Each structure stands twice: as structure tokens, then as C-alpha cells.
Amino acid sequence: MELFVQQLINGLTIGTIYALIALGYTMVYGIIQLINFAHGEVFMVGAYIGLTAITFFGFVSGSTLPMAMLYLAVMLLISMAGSGLLGIVIDQIAYRPIRNSPRLVALISAIGVSFVLQNAVMLIYGPQDQGVPQIVPDIHFIFGDVTITLMQIMILAVSLVLMVFLNFLVQHTQLGRAMRATSQDHKMARLVGINVNWIISLTFFIGSAMAAVGGVLFGLYYHTVNFHDGYLAGLKAFTAAVLGGIGNIPGAMVGGVLIGLAEGLGAGYISSEWKNVFAFVILVLILLFKPTGLFGERVADRA
Amino acid sequence: MIKKQGLGSGVQGPGRKYLFFWPLAFGLFLILPLIDHSAYHQDVLVTAGIYILLALGLNMIVGYAGLLNLGYAAFFGIGAYTCAGLNLAWHIPFWLALPVAVVVTGFFGFLVGLPVLRVKGDYLAIVTLGFGEIVRIVFNNLDPITGGPNGLLGIEHPVIFYPVFNPSLIWKRFDFGVSSFPYYYLVFFCVILVAYFSLRLDRSRIGRAWIAVREDEVAAGCMGIPVPQVKLLAFGVGSSIAGIAGSIFAAKQGTITPDSFDFILSVMILAMVVLGGMGSVPGVILGGLVLSILPELLREFSIYRMLIFGLVMILMMIFRPQGFLGNVRRKYELTTR
């Protein structure tokens, strides 16, 4: 039972990070029907921007909790802004010129972007793991045999706030309505006076900013970042987006948490060596038997 | 009128002008190791040949049938592990293990193709990617059979026996050993064979069915093409070619590890197909040759290699999605929706 609860907490933590990344996949897919294969790398770049930011501001270990919160906020904001802009730039350079080409062309271009980002980061920071300083104090709350760290609570809290905010933005604001209209029909959206290109850029910005938050939290949680991290995390987040129904924002959140739980429980009860297989097996099974995902109406087979 | 069916006839559009080029290239590569004794050059060319085999196989799936496969390295791995496993477990010689590996790899291709028929487009790409990762992790974790992360070692090199009349008939034994020279001709022969096979297939009933399915699945189905069977065939045949490449790779290296069959390799092979020209056999050969020799030439810039690949892939998709020697039909298909 203790193992179960412990793995549940660990799974939930990593699951919310997957959920944050999955939001970007699902939003971009919802609006231009593109699998932004480079999204995982944006997550990784977000982690590196956060790391650079705290290095720049000279974080000193062992500061008080309010100071730590301030640092975290600064890290998140800089990383969100940087990655968001990166998302827009990627769209402008690699996707916009081929907006009307078949999917295959866009997918290959996206793989190209992914390679460029990975290798650019590798060239700038080096191929080795980069240590991330301990910003959030290492406080453990122990209930019997179950441990929950302050960092885990922070991850859950930050993710929850962002998801609620995003849901509000999309469902209850003018901007959100414009986004939803654009995802339904570009031509009609343009006819009612929506600046479609601007909405697409905005979608890339928000999606990438969410991934950046995921990246910063991921780095703080594991204390290290590597230029390879984006690939696997991105793939798992994509699985989460598909699981929840691609194009569906609440679906992506639920999907992320489910993938994280599957991974946590699988690693706890079966074998941690096979940890990475679970997500892929879920991905393959979902695509084969329920391509609409849990909440999606879109059929995931448009060629 | 009977059309010429030589190697050159596979070149369409502007490539037709260079018809004389292919026999020339054939002759050059045939005698190259006899003139150029550099072991390094031969080694690079053997590796290039293995990549070209892979690219030709993937071309059948991606180029002809239009089914995007991002897990092709897995089939290369299955071929290599099959050949190596047969050799290590039962001392089955290379020449017998090779056809078995081809059949096994083809079978796995077929098996993957089976459920994959339910998804299309970029979802297919992701499913194959997931499959590729699963295969690699299985190689890595299934220690008793695959040797885990250390892989399989001590794979025997191919051996041939040839007759000598001295004065009576004696069979002499020739071990391929570690030098690249014999492998060069083995790979060369296989590339010619697979390229010829590809070209014939392109013009055959099956090839035309693949192209029809690629261009419009619904229309192809209406014309009586059994779409699922045709797709499965593409997966099976295309994957089996990776079995040839995998076997040669295992026999030449003597050692295989799961790391050799990662996602980067799948993307590299795809890049060869895409840059050369999807669906064009000469294009794919050129793409494979360029992408395997270029990194050797750019050794001092090798850390920028993948960065440059990424940039080239993006630029190619924007400005020339049909590749270096892409055929005209493919061009219209890729530039207009």
C-alpha cells in the first residue's frame, strides 16, 4: 500500500509535467493539424533557459523560502517568454512556408527543427548533463512510509494554477473564443475579423510557454538537464495528448497525468528498466483501438 | 513500343539527360577497390553501401507506398540480431542465416504493418516510431537472448569455398575476415540487386498499385486495388531489405549493440530517402552515398553534422520537397494539396 501511494505521488508529479508539455501538442494540433515534432525540444530549451536565468542572477543555495519562490517565479517567467518566442520563430521559419503542403512535408521539417534545436543546445552547453541548483528547499513531509517533497507540491501547485488559467483563457475570454473559432475553420474565422496568423502565433507562444514551465520544473525535480531530455519527454507528452484526444485541452491534462501514473506504477510494480516502454505501448494501443482518445471528437487518421 | 528498362530508365524528368552516367558509375564502383587500396576508403564505402540498402528498402515503404515509417532502424536491428543469434546459437553460417534474417525481418515488417493499417499519415509515423523504440528497449533489456546493453559479440565472418584444379579438384576456404575488401563486393552486389529489384517493382503491377494507393487511397480502392494487402506488402518487402543490410552489418562488425539501431539512424535513413528524392531509385542511391560520405569529409566539423542535417531537412522541405532527383509526379504531389 505504501509503495502504491508513493508511486502514485511520483507518477502524479511527473504526469503533470507531461501534461504541461502535452498542452502545446494538443493546442497546435487543434489549430493547424500539425504534430509539432519539435515541441519536446522546446521543453528542453525551456529547461536550459531557466538554468541560464538562475545562473545569471547568481542564485545562492540555502536562501529563505520567499526568496526561493521569487527565484522560481523569475526563472519561470524568463523561460516562458524565451521559449514562447522560440515557438513563434519555429512556426514562422519552418512551418508557415509549408502550411498548405501535405503532412509528410511538415513532419519532416519538424524533425529537422528538432535536430537543429538539440544540436544547438549541445553545442552551446556541451553534451554532458548540466546540474540544476536546488532552488526549492529540500523539505520532506513524511506520512508513515510515504514521502512527499516540497518540490513535488510546488510542481503540482504551479501546474494546477497554469492549467486553470489556460482553461479560463480558452473557455471564457474573447481571445479564447477567437482561438476556438480558428481551430474550427480558418476561413470563417478570417471572415468574422479574426487575425488567423496572429492567433496561430499566439497558440505557439502559449504552448511553448507551457512546455517551458514543464522544462524548468523537470530540471528542478531531477536536478539535472541534458539536451537529450526533450525527445523522450516530448514523445510521452505526445502520447498523453493522443490519449486525452488530440486537440482537446482538458484531455491533454488528464492524459498527461494518466501517462505519469502508468509510468510510476509500472516502474514500481513491474520493472523500472521497462519504464519507457509503457508509454509507447499505451501510445500504440490507443492509436490502434481508440484513435479519438478519451475525450476527443477528432479522428486521428487524417492523412 | 517497348521501353528500355535499364538502370537509367528509372531516372525521370531532368535525370534522363544523364543516362550515360549510371553505367559509368557502375563501372567506377566495380573497379574502385582494385585501384584504390585504401582500407579506410573501402570501409567508408561498405558502410555507405549498407546505408544505401536501408534507404532503398525504406524507399519502398515511404517513397512508393507513401507510408511514413520512423522506426526503420528497428528492422535493421531485427535483421542483425537474427543473423547474429542464429550464428552464435547454432553456428549457422552467414549464407544460410542471411535468407532467414530476410524472411524474419520481412515477417516483422508484415506484423507491424498489420495493426498499423488502421492509422494514417503522421499517426502512422508516430506508431512506427513507438515500435522502433520498443524494439530497441527490448534488445537492451532482454539480456538472456540479446546480451543486453553489451550486445552480441563473436559473430563469425562469412566464409566461402571455391574450387581449385591443382591438378585434381580441391575446395579452398576463404574467410571474409575483418578487411573491408570482400564485404565491398558483397555489398556492391546486394545494392545492384536491390536497386534492380526496386526499379522492376516500380514498373510492375505491385509498384503501380503502391503509387496509386499513395496518391489517392480511396480512388485506388475504387479501381479494385486491395488497399490493405498492398500496404502490407510494402511494409513486408521494404522491411525485408533491412534484413539483408542487418545481416551484412552483423557479419562484418562481428559485434552488435542495441545503440546501433536508434532513432537517429531511422531519421538518417529517412533523410537519405527524402534528400535523394522519394520514390526515385537513383535519387535514393545518391542520397545514401552523399549522406554517408559527407560526414567523413566533414570530420573536423562532425559536431555540427546533425545541426546541418536538421537545417538541410527544413530547407529541403521548403524549397525542394521532391529531393535532388525526385520524379515529377512526386513533385506535384508534394507541392500542392
Side-chain angles (χ1 to χ4, degrees), chain B residues 154-327:
Chain B
I155 305 154
E156 287 164 22
H157 297 295
V159 171
I160 48 171
F161 293 93
Y162 58 99
V164 179
F165 296 95
N166 184 27
S168 59
L169 179 103
I170 310 166
W171 288 90
K172 279 208 158 185
R173 183 175 186 278
F174 175 73
D175 190 320
F176 272 42
V178 287
S179 97
S180 295
F181 184 77
Y183 296 100
Y184 181 91
Y185 282 102
L186 177 62
V187 168
F188 183 76
F189 173 74
C190 288
V191 168
I192 298 298
L193 200 72
V194 173
Y196 184 69
F197 179 61
S198 290
L199 284 172
R200 296 300 305 218
L201 211 52
D202 192 16
R203 309 287 162 112
S204 73
R205 202 181 161 84
I206 295 168
R208 280 178 284 133
W210 282 344
I211 292 162
V213 169
R214 178 187 82 200
E215 293 189 357
D216 193 328
E217 209 176 303
V218 176
C222 292
M223 300 308 290
I225 292 172
V227 176
Q229 283 93 321
V230 161
K231 281 183 170 182
L232 273 183
L233 199 64
F235 251 94
V237 175
S239 306
S240 65
I241 306 294
I244 305 178
S247 300
I248 297 175
F249 179 76
K252 177 176 182 296
Q253 299 289 320
T255 310
I256 48 172
T257 57
D259 295 346
S260 314
F261 313 106
D262 58 0
F263 175 64
I264 303 284
L265 179 67
S266 292
V267 173
M268 281 282 294
I269 303 164
L270 184 67
M272 290 170 187
V273 175
V274 171
L275 296 187
M278 283 180 275
S280 145
V281 171
V284 168
I285 294 177
L286 187 70
L289 209 56
V290 168
L291 284 195
S292 30
I293 294 177
L294 208 61
E296 296 297 327
L297 296 177
L298 299 174
R299 223 159 229 294
E300 55 208 290
F301 307 110
S302 64
I303 51 167
Y304 299 105
R305 198 181 70 181
M306 298 312 278
L307 186 77
I308 295 168
F309 272 172
L311 280 175
V312 170
M313 276 165 90
I314 301 169
L315 293 176
M316 207 70 181
M317 285 302 106
I318 295 173
F319 297 109
R320 201 177 160 82
Q322 76 273 27
F324 297 141
L325 298 179
N327 62 42

Side-chain angles (χ1 to χ4, degrees), chain B residues 1-23:
Chain B
M1 208 178 96
I2 299 160
K3 277 179 87 178
K4 250 183 84 181
Q5 292 260 327
L7 258 175
S9 64
V11 188
Q12 287 165 357
R16 219 169 250 292
K17 280 178 278 181
Y18 306 110
L19 218 71
F20 66 91
F21 178 76
W22 294 102

